[in-house]
């Protein structure tokens, strides 16, 4: 972000950098224990360290879409960043216009940050997914551009697990249908095909953060739990891992999906899988809309094979809230699905609780702020994880070099040749695939030295991007 022009105003920046009021230190202690424990020991979080900012914080532009929680807005405002905030996602052409000159963008699950969109983002430094899933972002392309992506890996897991528990009981007791009937004046007191969940078997596909939480809750309800996962995972309670999907399908009364959207999980449950399930069993999906072949599910419900379904996610989801948004134009099976009995449909609200959204807002905004202000990429999902302990408050005339480059032989030799003319206090470098990230703190360096470092690094053939923090 520091251009040679900006380097002319270095003197002011040095003054700002040593002023701790409103500093990143205020947010550099993360709110969650889990996030704290992910920070390597070498990073000092307790000691007062120098605030690094190479810029007037007011120059940093953050675009927040999809009603990102206010906790994030407060953190960014506290930094003095410029925040542009939208409740919905933006149509692609508008997104391309908006993303052109922002340094950070915050999204949830709807905004697609494809290569087509990202290549217009000339100033972008970092992306925050204020959710778990990151399939909406072209992670490889972002890394190639030198843009780090952060998410919140488990702040909404409990909320999803609780929703699914509610859906299991709702399906077993046909609560959705009874409620709709009562809303339209119909009294229909029935017990036929309504069940207790105690003693029934829950089959969990994907035993990660959400699947494992759900397993514990389901056992507390007296359910038996089976799970299928592509990796071997320690069972919680008395749950049992099965070795094939077919085994899980053949033994479960309820089947619930908690896998990421990948090529392998596309239509993971389709006609053959529904055929392999027990007669009168139930299907739940709160993972991603691509995981279930919904037309095949509709057929399985119509012939009575599947007794009901609860869906929270869909192949195509509306960009914003509103009446009539979920229709056959969006997904051509909508009216067929909604006409079937015992079908619970929710608008992708698995993670939508006050607790989850507030925690996600703090966690992701903190990660973004630490990356912008300090270069720390710990927790990034597409980037080498690099951090250095802070600079001591009494250190002056120091610069932190953040050099993102192609991971090819010879780069470090070139970079260290450039830096070796100066006093390297500490440095750390790591790579992930084709991308590598070097962070170095240089001391006793004056303005002309910083300009020289910048110019020389900028001229290297391996450079993807450089930022200097001081
Ligand atoms: N409805 C909603 O609002 C929310 C939806 N989600 C979705 O739920 C998904 C799961 O979330 P977490 O449990 O946090 O993820 P996680 O990464 O902790 O666990 C996913 C598990 O799925 C397994 N897996 C991957 N491919 C598989 C396959 N082909 N077959 C079987 N298992 C497979 C993995 O090994 C892993 O154990 C997320 O990727 C996200 O898309 C997450 C949060 C909220
Ligand atoms: O709350 C959201 O916008 C998305 C939740 C979700 O699907 C996720 O965290 O992956």
């Amino acid at each position: 972000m520091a251009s040679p022009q900006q380097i002319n105003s270095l003197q002011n920046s040095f003054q700002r950098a040593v002023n701790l009021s409103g500093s990143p230190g205020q947010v550099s202690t993360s709110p969650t224990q889990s996030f704290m424990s992910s920070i390597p020991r070498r990073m000092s979080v307790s000691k007062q360290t120098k605030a690094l900012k190479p810029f007037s914080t007011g120059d940093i532009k953050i675009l927040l879409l999809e009603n990102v929680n206010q906790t994030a807005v407060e953190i960014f405002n506290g930094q003095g960043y410029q925040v542009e905030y939208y409740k919905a996602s933006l149509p692609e052409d508008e997104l391309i216009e908006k993303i052109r000159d922002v340094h950070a963008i915050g999204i949830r699950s709807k905004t697609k940050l494809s290569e087509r969109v990202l290549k217009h983002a000339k100033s972008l430094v970092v992306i925050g997914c204020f959710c778990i899933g990151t399939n909406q972002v072209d992670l490889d392309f972002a890394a190639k551009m030198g843009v780090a992506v952060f998410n919140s890996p488990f702040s909404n897991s409990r909320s999803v697990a609780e929703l699914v528990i509610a859906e299991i009981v709702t399906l077993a007791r046909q609560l959705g249908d009874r409620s709709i009937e009562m809303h339209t004046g119909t009294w229909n007191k029935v017990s036929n095909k309504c069940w207790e969940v105690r003693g029934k078997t829950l089959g969990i596909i994907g035993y990660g953060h959400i699947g494992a939480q759900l397993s514990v809750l389901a056992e507390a309800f007296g359910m038996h739990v089976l799970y299928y996962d592509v990796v071997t995972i320690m069972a919680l309670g008395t749950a049992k891992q099965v070795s094939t999907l077919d085994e899980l399908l053949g033994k479960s009364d309820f089947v619930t999906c908690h896998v990421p959207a990948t090529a392998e999980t596309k239509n993971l449950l389709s006609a053959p899988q529904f055929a392999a399930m027990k007669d009168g069993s139930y299907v739940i999906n709160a993972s991603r809309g691509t995981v279930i072949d919904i037309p095949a599910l509709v057929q399985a419900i119509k012939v009575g094979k599947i007794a009901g379904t609860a869906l929270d996610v869909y192949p195509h989801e509306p960009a914003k809230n509103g009446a009539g948004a979920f229709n056959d134009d969006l997904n051509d099976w909508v009216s067929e699905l909604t006409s079937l009995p015992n079908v619970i449909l929710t608008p992708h609200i698995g993670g939508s609780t006050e607790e989850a959204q507030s925690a996600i807002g703090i966690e992701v905004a903190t990660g973004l702020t630490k990356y912008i202000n300090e270069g720390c990429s710990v927790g990034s999902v597409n980037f080498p994880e690099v951090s250095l302990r802070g600079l001591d408050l009494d250190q002056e005339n120091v610069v932190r070099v953040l050099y993102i480059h192609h991971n090819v032989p010879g780069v470090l030799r070139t970079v260290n040749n450039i830096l070796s003319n100066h006093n390297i206090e500490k440095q750390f470098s790591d790579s992930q695939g084709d991308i590598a990230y070097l962070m170095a703190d240089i001391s006793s360096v004056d303005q002309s030295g910083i300009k020289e470092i910048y110019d020389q690094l900028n001229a290297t053939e391996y450079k993807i991007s450089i930022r200097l923090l001081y």
Side-chain angles (χ1 to χ4, degrees):
M1 229 171 299
S3 65
Q5 290 78 15
Q6 285 174 299
I7 287 168
N8 293 334
S9 62
L10 274 179
Q11 197 56 52
N12 288 341
S13 306
F14 273 116
Q15 290 308 318
R16 254 197 320 272
V18 290
N19 177 4
L20 266 183
S21 88
S23 77
Q26 286 177 337
V27 294
S28 63
T29 46
S30 167
T32 64
Q33 197 54 44
S34 51
F35 187 72
M36 285 299 291
S37 58
S38 73
I39 298 174
R41 291 244 166 99
R42 63 179 173 275
M43 272 184 60
S44 161
V45 289
S46 54
K47 191 174 171 189
Q48 275 223 319
T49 54
K50 181 175 193 161
L52 289 165
K53 292 181 185 179
F55 33 74
S56 157
T57 50
D59 291 341
I60 295 293
K61 293 184 185 160
I62 315 264
L63 176 62
L64 293 181
L65 306 178
E66 300 187 58
N67 206 17
V68 163
N69 195 262
Q70 286 303 310
T71 50
V73 179
E74 280 160 25
I75 287 172
F76 294 139
N77 283 339
Q79 291 296 315
Y81 301 157
Q82 294 173 43
V83 177
E84 193 173 353
Y85 187 88
Y86 292 87
K87 276 192 173 291
S89 59
L90 296 174
E92 193 179 74
D93 50 348
E94 224 176 296
L95 177 61
I96 286 173
E97 274 316 303
K98 293 277 177 202
I99 207 170
R100 271 183 210 288
D101 65 344
V102 298
H103 302 102
I105 181 169
I107 59 168
R108 288 172 63 185
S109 57
K110 290 191 178 49
T111 304
K112 305 276 176 274
L113 294 179
S114 60
E115 175 174 344
R116 189 176 126 75
V117 171
L118 287 175
K119 66 183 181 206
H120 296 276
K122 299 295 179 211
S123 306
L124 197 64
V125 171
V126 63
I127 294 169
C129 296
F130 286 76
C131 54
I132 292 179
T134 52
N135 57 296
Q136 67 280 34
V137 180
D138 188 332
L139 297 176
D140 290 341
F141 187 73
K144 279 187 194 128
M145 289 174 70
V147 173
V149 180
F150 290 82
N151 74 339
S152 172
F154 41 77
S155 290
N156 65 17
S157 314
R158 173 72 187 202
S159 301
V160 180
E162 289 188 12
L163 177 77
V164 173
I165 279 290
E167 289 173 340
I168 290 169
V169 178
T170 302
L171 289 171
R173 301 292 294 274
Q174 303 176 1
L175 295 185
D177 290 358
R178 293 302 87 76
S179 178
I180 291 169
E181 287 158 5
M182 290 292 278
H183 280 268
T184 52
T186 302
W187 185 269
N188 185 19
K189 184 173 162 75
V190 289
S191 55
N192 187 32
K193 303 238 165 85
C194 292
W195 313 97
E196 290 186 355
V197 301
R198 177 173 51 167
K200 306 298 183 300
T201 298
L202 173 64
I204 301 174
I205 306 176
Y207 203 67
H209 290 112
I210 297 171
Q213 268 288 311
L214 177 60
S215 169
V216 173
L217 296 178
E219 286 203 334
F221 263 57
M223 299 187 83
H224 305 298
V225 175
L226 299 177
Y227 62 93
Y228 169 72
D229 201 294
V230 283
V231 294
T232 303
I233 299 181
M234 185 188 76
L236 297 179
T238 58
K240 285 190 187 61
Q241 182 157 13
V242 294
S243 50
T244 64
L245 180 57
D246 268 0
E247 183 180 349
L248 178 131
L249 297 173
K251 290 183 173 166
S252 302
D253 300 295
F254 297 83
V255 170
T256 183
C257 300
H258 300 287
V259 291
T262 61
E264 291 73 35
T265 61
K266 189 167 164 44
N267 290 338
L268 190 67
L269 297 187
S270 188
Q273 288 72 37
F274 296 130
M277 287 177 65
K278 287 168 82 167
D279 290 347
S281 53
Y282 304 87
V283 172
I284 299 171
N285 185 21
S287 60
R288 283 291 179 267
T290 50
V291 173
I292 286 194
D293 177 353
I294 296 184
L297 175 63
V298 166
Q299 283 315 310
I301 296 172
K302 276 189 171 167
V303 299
K305 176 75 185 177
I306 301 298
T309 189
L311 303 176
D312 187 45
V313 287
Y314 311 90
H316 301 107
E317 298 180 0
K320 55 178 188 251
N321 290 346
F326 190 65
N327 58 31
D328 282 343
D329 293 335
L330 191 70
N331 297 291
D332 59 12
W333 36 254
V334 166
S335 44
E336 215 179 351
L337 180 68
T338 51
S339 68
L340 295 171
N342 214 11
V343 171
I344 309 295
L345 303 177
T346 47
H348 201 149
I349 52 164
S352 297
T353 61
E354 297 284 358
E355 291 91 339
Q357 292 308 310
S358 159
I360 289 172
I362 295 168
E363 183 176 352
V364 180
T366 302
L368 263 52
T369 301
K370 284 181 74 69
Y371 185 71
I372 293 169
N373 290 359
E374 302 167 30
C376 170
S377 62
V378 173
S380 166
V381 296
N382 69 332
F383 230 57
E385 297 193 79
V386 171
S387 71
L388 285 179
R389 69 175 188 275
L391 294 162
D392 291 343
L393 265 180
D394 54 6
Q395 277 182 300
E396 288 190 15
N397 295 352
V398 273
V399 62
R400 174 166 289 181
V401 175
L402 308 175
Y403 179 72
I404 300 164
H405 59 91
H406 297 288
N407 185 21
V408 291
V411 180
L412 290 184
R413 189 176 49 237
T414 308
V415 172
N416 282 328
N417 274 341
I418 294 168
L419 299 182
S420 63
N421 296 328
H422 305 276
N423 184 32
I424 304 173
E425 288 271 331
K426 50 193 181 297
Q427 89 178 57
F428 185 62
S429 164
D430 201 358
S431 64
Q432 185 173 312
D434 296 337
I435 306 303
Y437 182 23
L438 175 140
M439 187 184 289
D441 286 349
I442 314 291
S443 63
S444 311
V445 60
D446 60 13
Q447 290 177 53
S448 65
I450 293 178
K451 180 166 174 5
E452 188 184 300
I453 290 171
Y454 182 90
D455 287 343
Q456 289 182 345
L457 288 175
N458 200 32
T460 54
E461 57 184 304
Y462 329 100
K463 178 208 85 170
I464 294 176
S465 75
I466 309 169
R467 291 196 295 143
L468 299 183
L469 307 177
Y470 36 82

